[in-house]
């Protein structure tokens, strides 16, 4: 039965290992897409659209939104949103870093357990330290990493 015309389906990304004993063995390559940008610039919107598209063409993808982890960890209504995100707030900084660490670890488990092929880290990731932690974690899992900056210009 012929396949219907449309979008070609792609199941996994592979590379061929250079070894003499298994010429036909294929190895799965996990992919991480990390979004970088200031708050309210469209990172979550882009991550949802990209995740939906990649799943539609047959690539198992999941987005990891650090904001969801933060909302579970604390109540900004009680703490005050402005004070929580202040760079001088050490307690807020610890909570934000812990939430990012949890999201990155969940992303690593998702790829390590072969639940999917692409993981999207949806967070501001504006500090060099945060991107460095992310890159080190991806190297540990031999993940192909793409860091995409989301810019938003307001025309006047």
């Amino acid at each position: 039965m012929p396949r219907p015309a449309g979008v070609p389906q792609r199941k996994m990304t592979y590379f061929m290992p250079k070894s003499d004993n298994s010429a036909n063995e294929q190895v799965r390559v996990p992919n991480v897409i990390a979004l970088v940008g200031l708050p309210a610039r469209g990172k979550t919107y882009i991550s949802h659209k990209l995740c939906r598209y990649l799943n539609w063409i047959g690539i198992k993808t999941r987005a990891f939104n650090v904001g969801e982890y933060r909302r579970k960890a604390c109540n900004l209504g009680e703490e005050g949103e402005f004070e929580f995100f202040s760079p001088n707030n050490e307690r807020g900084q610890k909570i934000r870093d812990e939430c990012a660490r949890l999201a990155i670890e969940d992303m690593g488990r998702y790829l390590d357990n072969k639940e999917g092929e692409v993981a999207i880290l949806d967070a501001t990731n504006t500090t060099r330290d945060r991107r460095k932690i992310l890159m080190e974690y991806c190297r540990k899992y031999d993940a192909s990493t793409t860091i995409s900056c989301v810019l938003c210009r307001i025309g006047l």
Side-chain angles (χ1 to χ4, degrees), residues 10 15 22 27 35 41 50 69 73 77 84 89 94 98 101 105 111 115 123 127-128 132 135 138-139 144 148 150:
R10 191 175 144 271
F15 75 92
S22 60
V27 180
L35 300 177
R41 295 301 188 260
L50 184 58
Y69 289 81
F84 180 79
N89 183 348
K94 286 181 183 176
E98 179 67 12
R101 185 188 63 77
E105 286 179 357
L111 294 172
E115 294 176 39
T127 65
R128 288 182 179 163
K132 182 179 176 184
M135 292 301 292
C138 290
R139 279 191 201 107
S144 171
S148 300
V150 178

Side-chain angles (χ1 to χ4, degrees), residues 21-148:
N21 57 357
S22 60
N24 292 328
E25 181 182 336
Q26 293 182 333
V27 180
R28 183 180 161 283
V29 179
N31 293 276
V32 173
I33 299 171
L35 300 177
V36 177
L38 295 174
R41 295 301 188 260
K43 294 178 300 300
T44 300
Y45 179 80
I46 290 170
S47 73
H48 286 303
K49 289 290 187 182
L50 184 58
C51 186
R52 185 176 175 187
Y53 174 73
L54 291 174
N55 280 309
W56 182 69
I57 64 171
I59 301 171
K60 290 183 181 177
T61 305
R62 182 171 165 202
F64 295 84
N65 184 307
V66 175
E68 291 176 10
Y69 289 81
R70 177 187 39 79
R71 283 186 277 284
K72 291 177 186 174
C74 64
N75 184 356
L76 292 183
E78 294 174 5
E79 299 186 33
E81 195 165 339
F82 175 75
E83 293 84 12
F84 180 79
F85 289 104
S86 170
N88 300 325
N89 183 348
E90 290 181 24
R91 181 176 176 276
Q93 182 67 41
K94 286 181 183 176
I95 292 172
R96 292 192 309 270
D97 289 344
E98 179 67 12
C99 291
R101 185 188 63 77
L102 289 172
I104 291 171
E105 286 179 357
D106 284 350
M107 181 183 70
R109 276 192 295 276
Y110 169 76
L111 294 172
D112 196 38
N113 294 337
K114 298 180 182 12
E115 294 176 39
E117 182 184 0
V118 177
I120 302 171
L121 183 65
D122 178 11
T124 56
N125 298 316
T126 53
T127 65
R128 288 182 179 163
D129 289 337
R130 176 77 60 82
R131 292 190 300 268
K132 182 179 176 184
I133 290 168
L134 175 64
M135 292 301 292
E136 288 171 357
Y137 205 82
C138 290
R139 279 191 201 107
K140 184 171 120 179
Y141 284 96
D142 291 327
S144 171
T145 310
T146 303
I147 296 183
S148 300

